[in-house]
């Protein structure tokens, strides 16, 4: 999965490739080994992959050979809801087990996953694109160009206003 991501494949493309090759999903693998997993068992084919499963696997730091403790916490012993912990508050024990993925490869995949922006259809991209937010609703501002005037007029449009939701 990590190699295919570095080659430029998306999560849905990787899932489609795994379905063609007949690779078992993690849930089907555990069932085949006879190990019960918590939660509802879905009646899906054993090789039906989903892009969200690939995404979840790409963010697992345990594949680098590290152990992560205190990933979640609870505000009180009375509340059963688990809240994700900040990475700086987690306790990470590096190189505890044999690494499946090298640390450099894992870091590169995280860097690629962080900057998932589709290339613009326009000939140029706005200087502040991806950084501006609407003052009224908090939605993202998209860069737009207008060619109806004599010269080009560049402006930013609220994403919610553009889609008719705001």
């Amino acid at each position: 999965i990590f190699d295919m991501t570095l080659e430029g494949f998306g999560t849905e493309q990787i899932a489609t490739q795994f379905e063609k090759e007949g690779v078992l999903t993690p849930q089907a693998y555990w069932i085949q080994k006879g190990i019960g997993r918590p939660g509802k068992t879905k009646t899906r084919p054993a090789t039906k992959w989903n892009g969200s499963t690939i995404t979840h696997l790409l963010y697992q730091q345990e594949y680098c050979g590290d152990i992560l403790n205190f990933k979640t916490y609870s505000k009180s012993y009375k509340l059963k809801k688990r809240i994700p912990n900040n990475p700086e508050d987690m306790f990470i024990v590096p190189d505890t087990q044999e690494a499946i993925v090298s640390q450099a490869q894992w870091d590169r995949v995280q860097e690629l996953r962080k900057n998932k922006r589709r290339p613009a259809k326009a000939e140029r991209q706005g200087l502040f694109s991806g950084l501006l937010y609407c003052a009224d609703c908090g939605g993202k501002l998209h860069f737009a160009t207008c060619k109806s005037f004599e010269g080009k007029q560049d402006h930013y449009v609220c994403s919610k206003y553009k889609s008719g939701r705001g």
Side-chain angles (χ1 to χ4, degrees), residues 64-101:
C64 296
D66 302 341
I67 290 182
L68 277 72
N69 289 332
F70 309 115
K71 290 192 262 187
T72 61
Y73 70 97
S74 177
K75 286 187 177 181
S76 168
Y77 71 93
K78 295 179 182 179
L79 302 175
K80 302 303 177 194
K81 183 177 179 183
R82 303 299 295 175
I83 302 166
N85 216 347
N86 295 328
E88 56 268 2
D89 295 334
M90 292 182 196
F91 182 70
I92 301 172
V93 183
D95 300 326
T96 308
Q97 55 197 4
E98 185 179 346
I100 298 172
V101 179

Side-chain angles (χ1 to χ4, degrees), residues 119-144:
K121 292 181 182 177
E123 58 247 9
R124 62 192 191 96
Q125 193 174 6
L127 180 64
F128 301 109
S129 122
L131 300 173
L132 297 178
Y133 294 93
C134 180
D136 296 330
C137 67
K140 283 191 174 184
L141 292 180
H142 293 265
F143 181 71

Side-chain angles (χ1 to χ4, degrees), residues 36-81:
R37 302 295 292 167
K40 295 180 182 177
T41 57
K42 299 174 184 168
T43 56
R44 291 176 53 181
T47 59
K48 177 70 176 156
W49 281 83
N50 194 350
S52 62
T53 305
I54 304 292
T55 303
H56 179 72
L57 293 174
L58 287 172
Y59 287 117
Q60 297 296 315
Q61 190 174 351
E62 287 86 352
Y63 291 129
C64 296
D66 302 341
I67 290 182
L68 277 72
N69 289 332
F70 309 115
K71 290 192 262 187
T72 61
Y73 70 97
S74 177
K75 286 187 177 181
S76 168
Y77 71 93
K78 295 179 182 179
L79 302 175
K80 302 303 177 194
K81 183 177 179 183

